[in-house]
Amino acid sequence: MNLPLHYGLIGSLEAAIIALLIGLGVYWLSQWLCRRNGLSPGHAIGWACLAAVAIGAGWDIWNLFYTSIVRLESPLYARLALERIHDPDQLGGRVVLEVVGALAGVALGWRLFSAEPDEADVGEA
């Protein structure tokens, strides 16, 4: 995400909260589009999970993938690759927390926006 977040676990938790909010928003948009086009709630959940992880954690996932694949044998290349990453010491943990946050945001959105009214909530007519 490359936002000016704190370092360490606090920064990772901040990134996870941002990813959770992204998951909520993406699910809201996805369920609206799927209802409008007559698709099932499963489609809304699936597309929202994919989009929320790509938006919320995509940049850090790319940095993790790039530093694992690129040959960083030269100290110059290693320094250049690590300078672009906000907190390289916490990159793996931040990716995990961002993915969990994005998926939790979609699950929370599903719970909030797709809840059917209970029989007790429907008044007797």
Side-chain angles (χ1 to χ4, degrees), residues 34-124:
C34 286
R35 282 184 184 174
R36 187 172 179 210
N37 294 320
L39 297 174
S40 69
H43 285 95
I45 292 170
W47 284 111
C49 285
L50 181 66
V53 169
I55 294 168
W59 185 253
D60 288 331
I61 289 173
W62 171 252
N63 284 332
L64 190 64
F65 175 74
Y66 181 77
T67 56
S68 299
I69 297 298
V70 172
R71 296 176 59 182
L72 300 174
E73 295 168 352
S74 168
L76 173 66
Y77 292 136
R79 189 172 353 118
L80 290 175
L82 293 176
E83 282 178 354
R84 292 181 291 167
I85 300 172
H86 170 65
D87 186 9
D89 293 336
Q90 281 290 112
L91 184 60
R94 190 168 63 240
V95 166
V96 169
L97 288 176
E98 284 173 344
V99 169
V100 168
L103 296 178
V106 170
L108 184 64
W110 172 70
R111 183 75 176 136
L112 291 175
F113 303 130
S114 297
E116 296 293 325
D118 293 336
E119 291 179 18
D121 293 338
V122 178
E124 294 180 26

